[in-house]
Amino acid sequence: MSIDIGIIGLARSGKTTIFNALTKGKADTRSPAPHIGVAKVPEPRLQVLADMLHPKRVVPAEISYIDIGASVKGLSGDRTIGSQILNQLSNADALINVARAFTDESIPHIEGSIDVERDIATANLELALYDLGIISRRLERIETSLKGAKPTERAGFLREQELLTKIKADSEKDVPIRELRLSTEETRTIANYQFLTAKPLLIMVNIGEEQIPQAASLEAQLNSRYLRAKSGVITLCGKLEMELTQLDEEAAKSFRTEFGLTESGLDRIIKISYELLGLISFFTIASDEVKAWSIQKDTNAVKAAGKIHSDMEKGFIRAEVISYDDLVKCGSLSEAQKKGLLRLEGKSYIVQDGDVITFLFNV
Ligand SMILES: Nc1nc2c(ncn2[C@@H]2O[C@H](COP(=O)(O)OP(=O)(O)O)[C@@H](O)[C@H]2O)c(=O)[nH]1
Ligand SMILES: [Mg+2]
C-alpha cells in the first residue's frame, strides 16, 4: 500500500505538467484525460545503506500521483470528473492544488486573468461543496434511520448527527475539516466519508521561468496567509521541472544552478508532502534487498509489519530493531549484534524515523 496524492486545479493551471515532472512521465498536456503515475521517494539514507551492505536490489519507497485531468470546478455541481477518478481522489492521502501564476499569452487563463488567491479560493470552495454534498446526504439518511431505529442504535446515530452538523456549520464558515480539533473517536466516525477538506493540502503555485528569482519571497508571502497545520504553499516552475526530468542528472544540476535553484523541485515537494502527511521512513534488509518504507508517525511495529505484508502483521512475533545511525557506525548487522545494539521489540513498539527493522513472524 503506497501513499497516494491527488493533483487538482483549474484547467490549464499546469496539473499535467507538474504530474509529468513528479513522475518523470510523458503524459500529453493537450489531453484533459486523468493520469496515474509513481514517483520514487528520494531518501539519501537508503543509498548509504546500499553502499555499506551491497545488496542485489535497492528499493525506494513510492508515492502515487493522480492527475484528475478535468478542472476542479467540475468536482461539485455539474460533474465533469469520472466516478473512477473521483473514487481515487477520495482514497488519496493528500491533495496538491495547482494554482497558476505563470503568464503566457498563447495559453489564456480560463478566468481571463492571473489571480492566484482567487484560484486557491475557487478550489477550496469546490472541495468544501463536495464535502457538504456528502454531509447533507448522510444527514438525511440519519434522519430517516432515526425514525425506525432501535433504542440501542439511537445513541450512535445521534452522536454522528451532532458531529456532522458541527462540521457542516464550520464548513459553511470556510473552515476545512483538516483544521478542526477532532477527538480520535470523532476522526474515526468520519474516516469512511473520506472528506476532501480533511486531507492534508499542498498548494502548488506554478510560476513562470521569469518569476524564479521571486519564488522564495512569493512563497513566504503566500505561506503567511495559507500556512496551517496540515496545509502549506510551495512555488514551483512546473514547465522547467518537467523539462529537467528529460535531462541526465549532471545537466539538470547545471541548469538549476543557472536559474539559482539549489535543490530539485521534486525533492522539495516530496519532503514537504512528507511533513504535511506526518510520514517517516524505516528500512528493511532481507534476502539481498534493502528497502525503504513510508509510514505515518506513531505507527506501532505490528502495523508497520502489515505495511510490508498482511501475513507479517497477522503472524507478528517480534521485531529486531536498530537505528540507522547505530547501524552505520557498526558497518554491518552482525557487528551491531556483537555490540548488543540490535533491540528486540514487541507489537506496541512505536517505529522511529530511520529504524532498520527485521520482522520475525509465523505463517
Ligand atoms: N509558459 C509556461 N507555460 C506553462 C507552465 N506550466 C504549464 N504551462 C503550459 O500550460 C499549458 C497547460 O498546462 P497543463 O499542464 O496541460 O495544465 P492542466 O490543464 O492543468 O493539466 C500547457 O501548454 C503547458 O505547457 C509554465 O510554468 N510556464
Ligand atoms: Mg491536464
Side-chain angles (χ1 to χ4, degrees):
M1 216 187 72
S2 79
I3 303 293
D4 296 333
I5 299 185
I7 304 174
I8 60 168
L10 293 177
R12 287 194 235 114
S13 54
K15 295 184 296 297
T16 305
T17 304
I18 285 168
F19 169 84
N20 281 339
L22 285 166
T23 60
K24 302 195 198 303
K26 294 195 174 61
D28 188 352
T29 54
R30 286 166 304 182
S31 139
H35 307 281
I36 295 176
V38 165
K40 299 194 182 334
V41 177
E43 169 56 82
R45 291 173 296 184
L46 184 62
Q47 198 50 55
V48 176
L49 291 176
D51 292 344
M52 191 173 92
L53 304 163
H54 310 293
K56 285 212 181 76
R57 289 201 331 138
V58 181
V59 188
E62 290 184 339
I63 291 189
S64 294
Y65 288 99
I66 306 143
D67 166 10
I68 61 165
S71 167
V72 68
K73 265 196 156 176
L75 209 57
S76 62
D78 59 331
R79 230 7 95 75
T80 51
I81 296 171
S83 59
Q84 200 192 347
I85 212 77
L86 206 52
N87 254 334
Q88 267 153 341
L89 202 58
S90 300
N91 279 319
D93 300 291
L95 300 177
I96 286 178
N97 173 30
V98 180
R100 171 173 169 178
F102 72 87
T103 45
D104 187 331
E105 251 140 56
S106 67
I107 307 162
H109 189 293
I110 50 155
E111 303 288 339
S113 63
I114 305 290
D115 185 338
V116 171
E117 301 205 0
R118 175 201 59 205
D119 294 351
I120 292 172
T122 301
N124 286 341
L125 181 64
E126 287 295 329
L127 298 179
L129 289 174
Y130 181 81
D131 285 353
L132 280 169
I134 296 175
I135 294 174
S136 302
R137 287 191 294 278
R138 180 62 194 156
L139 282 173
E140 272 170 36
R141 281 263 226 55
I142 293 177
E143 200 68 48
T144 316
S145 305
L146 273 171
K147 283 178 192 143
K150 298 188 192 97
T152 46
E153 299 169 332
R154 279 189 73 81
F157 281 131
L158 287 172
R159 228 178 305 132
E160 192 183 339
Q161 186 181 49
E162 190 187 350
L163 176 61
L164 290 178
T165 307
K166 190 175 89 181
I167 292 175
K168 183 166 179 255
D170 284 321
S171 182
E172 282 161 353
K173 280 183 274 175
D174 284 338
V175 183
I177 298 170
R178 82 180 79 82
E179 285 176 26
L180 303 180
R181 285 168 175 275
L182 301 176
S183 66
T184 316
E185 177 66 38
E186 288 172 324
T187 305
R188 205 173 302 138
T189 306
I190 63 166
N192 279 338
Y193 300 122
Q194 300 181 304
F195 290 124
L196 297 181
T197 68
K199 299 181 191 302
L201 174 71
L202 180 57
I203 299 168
M204 194 167 295
V205 176
N206 186 14
I207 58 173
E209 288 180 2
E210 67 293 346
Q211 291 169 294
I212 289 176
Q214 292 93 52
S217 65
L218 179 63
E219 195 174 288
Q221 182 200 324
L222 289 167
N223 267 316
S224 71
R225 162 120 203 240
Y226 294 104
L227 189 68
R228 302 277 194 288
K230 288 183 211 146
S231 77
V233 182
I234 182 171
T235 52
L236 181 89
C237 181
K239 196 155 171 253
L240 176 70
E241 292 295 341
M242 176 174 145
E243 284 161 4
L244 291 181
T245 62
Q246 321 285 332
L247 303 177
D248 64 54
E249 221 157 285
E250 275 309 301
K253 216 180 201 171
S254 81
F255 262 101
R256 272 208 183 87
T257 314
E258 224 168 278
F259 279 100
L261 298 167
T262 48
E263 192 180 10
S264 140
L266 311 183
D267 289 2
R268 271 196 80 206
I269 291 171
I270 290 185
K271 232 189 263 171
I272 293 176
S273 306
Y274 260 51
E275 280 161 26
L276 284 180
L277 283 161
L279 294 174
I280 56 168
S281 305
F282 75 90
F283 306 96
T284 55
I285 300 169
S287 40
D288 254 340
E289 267 187 357
V290 175
K291 285 193 187 189
W293 306 86
S294 310
I295 46 162
Q296 213 87 37
K297 247 177 251 165
D298 297 326
T299 301
N300 63 29
V302 68
K303 283 275 171 243
K307 183 94 190 162
I308 298 170
H309 202 291
S310 53
D311 285 347
M312 277 197 181
E313 183 172 346
K314 270 187 236 133
F316 183 95
I317 302 169
R318 60 180 180 271
E320 267 181 16
V321 185
I322 180 168
S323 74
Y324 166 84
D325 288 336
D326 282 348
L327 178 56
V328 170
K329 266 182 233 149
C330 295
S332 73
L333 277 176
S334 53
E335 188 58 31
Q337 188 145 34
K338 270 188 222 152
K339 291 202 168 125
L341 287 169
L342 274 183
R343 285 173 279 131
L344 287 182
E345 302 283 2
K347 287 184 176 179
S348 59
Y349 170 71
I350 300 296
V351 175
Q352 303 296 310
D353 184 47
D355 276 352
V356 180
I357 308 180
T358 307
F359 292 105
L360 307 174
F361 65 105
N362 275 324
V363 261

